[in-house]
Structures are given as C-alpha cells and as structure tokens.
Amino acid sequence: MNAIELKIAAGLERAFAENGFAEPSVEDLRDAAGVSLRTLYKYAPSRDVMVRTALEHRHRRYIAHVFDDLPGDADAAVSAILDRVAGWMRREATHGCLFHAAVAAAPHDPTLRALLQSHKAEVARRAAAVTGQAGRDVDMTLIIEGLTQSWPLYGDAAVVSARRLSLALRQCA
C-alpha cells in the first residue's frame, strides 16, 4: 500500500468509525481521507470499495495491535491479548465492532459478511495458537467477542470476566 492509499484507508476508517456507515457523505469521506474527490475515486471508485478499504485497514491495525510482540508464555499472552483488546475498545471502538456495524448496515452484502468472518476467524486462530489453545478457535472467539460486545455495557468488568473464562478454558484443556 502506497502512502496515498494508506492515507485514504486511514481516513475512511476513521470517518466510518466515528459516524457509522450511513451518515458520511462522499464529501465527508473525501475530507476525512484528505484527498481530492478525483483521487478518492481513483483508489476507491465506489462507496462499497470505500467501506471495504476502511475495514481492511482496520483489520491490519487491529491484528498488529493485538498480536505484535506478545509474551512467549501462554498465560502472559492471554493477559496481554485481553488487555490489548480492552485498550482497543477504550480508544478505537467505544461503540462496538466496526465489522459488525458494517454488516448491520448492509446485512445482505456477502462481501462484508466474508470480511467479518475472515477477520474474526484470524483473530480466533491467532489467539488460540499463541495461548496454547490450538484448535480451540471457537472458544477463543466466544471469549474475545464476548469482551468486545460487552465492552460498551460493562467496560473493565468485561475484561475481568474474560480473564476468568480464559483461565477456566486453560484449566480444562
């Protein structure tokens, strides 16, 4: 991704995260991307492509935030993952998951459903692998998704609960 594509993707992600998928006009998205309308359309020729671009950028940032430089110890890795997810929710996703919001805004769009599924599957697979729970992807999905979906309601109490659940999972393995 070149510098202009990165600038556009970051701006689109920010605009959709702050304003949802229905509200921002193309002019709002252009302003958020910090480029001309012509340049925006050159790299993202439709609103659908703009949404996908934003979600793909979000995915890369989330994966790096949660999984880069984790401790080698499985227990410490679980703790770090949950702390990082909570930090992400606190700073980046106070209204909930952007992928779920995109699918909610366009429930019949198979491309958005595929992006949601791919994102969640990669998060679960990586979390299970680095925490010594390989093959327990569904369990890790429930814990991490439970945290992200509960965050807007319970905040740090959701992290405490996710820690308890991850400990119970490791103990029964």
Side-chain angles (χ1 to χ4, degrees):
M1 193 175 258
N2 69 38
I4 293 173
E5 290 170 313
L6 186 59
K7 179 180 179 179
I8 291 169
L12 292 172
E13 177 197 350
R14 189 173 45 257
F16 289 128
E18 291 173 3
N19 303 303
F21 291 94
E23 185 177 318
S25 67
V26 173
E27 290 76 19
D28 294 334
L29 296 171
R30 175 205 61 210
D31 292 346
V35 296
S36 69
L37 194 56
R38 182 178 176 161
T39 300
L40 177 60
Y41 276 123
K42 175 182 176 184
Y43 290 97
S46 70
R47 189 175 190 90
D48 290 344
V49 173
M50 291 176 200
V51 170
R52 286 195 305 274
T53 298
L55 291 175
E56 289 163 357
H57 184 260
R58 180 76 153 209
H59 171 74
R60 286 188 298 276
R61 285 192 333 103
Y62 184 82
I63 292 296
H65 174 78
V66 173
F67 295 105
D68 282 1
D69 302 317
L70 284 172
D73 174 69
D75 289 337
V78 168
S79 183
I81 289 169
L82 296 176
D83 285 344
R84 291 173 183 188
V85 169
W88 180 271
M89 297 306 295
R90 191 176 290 113
R91 289 183 307 279
E92 304 276 346
T94 56
H95 303 297
C97 175
L98 195 61
F99 288 86
H100 282 291
V103 170
H108 303 292
D109 185 327
T111 302
L112 292 180
R113 285 194 172 280
L115 281 171
L116 168 67
Q117 184 176 17
S118 173
H119 171 71
K120 299 302 181 179
E122 183 173 349
V123 170
R125 181 184 48 74
R126 285 181 179 232
V130 301
T131 61
Q133 299 292 320
R136 312 280 307 258
D137 297 13
V138 174
D139 297 331
M140 293 307 296
T141 296
L142 287 172
I143 292 168
I144 293 170
E145 279 300 291
L147 174 55
T148 61
Q149 294 301 312
S150 299
W151 178 264
L153 297 172
Y154 301 108
D156 288 328
V159 179
V160 172
S161 183
R163 285 186 197 287
R164 268 196 311 271
L165 292 170
S166 66
L167 177 61
L169 178 63
R170 290 192 314 276
Q171 289 175 343
C172 75

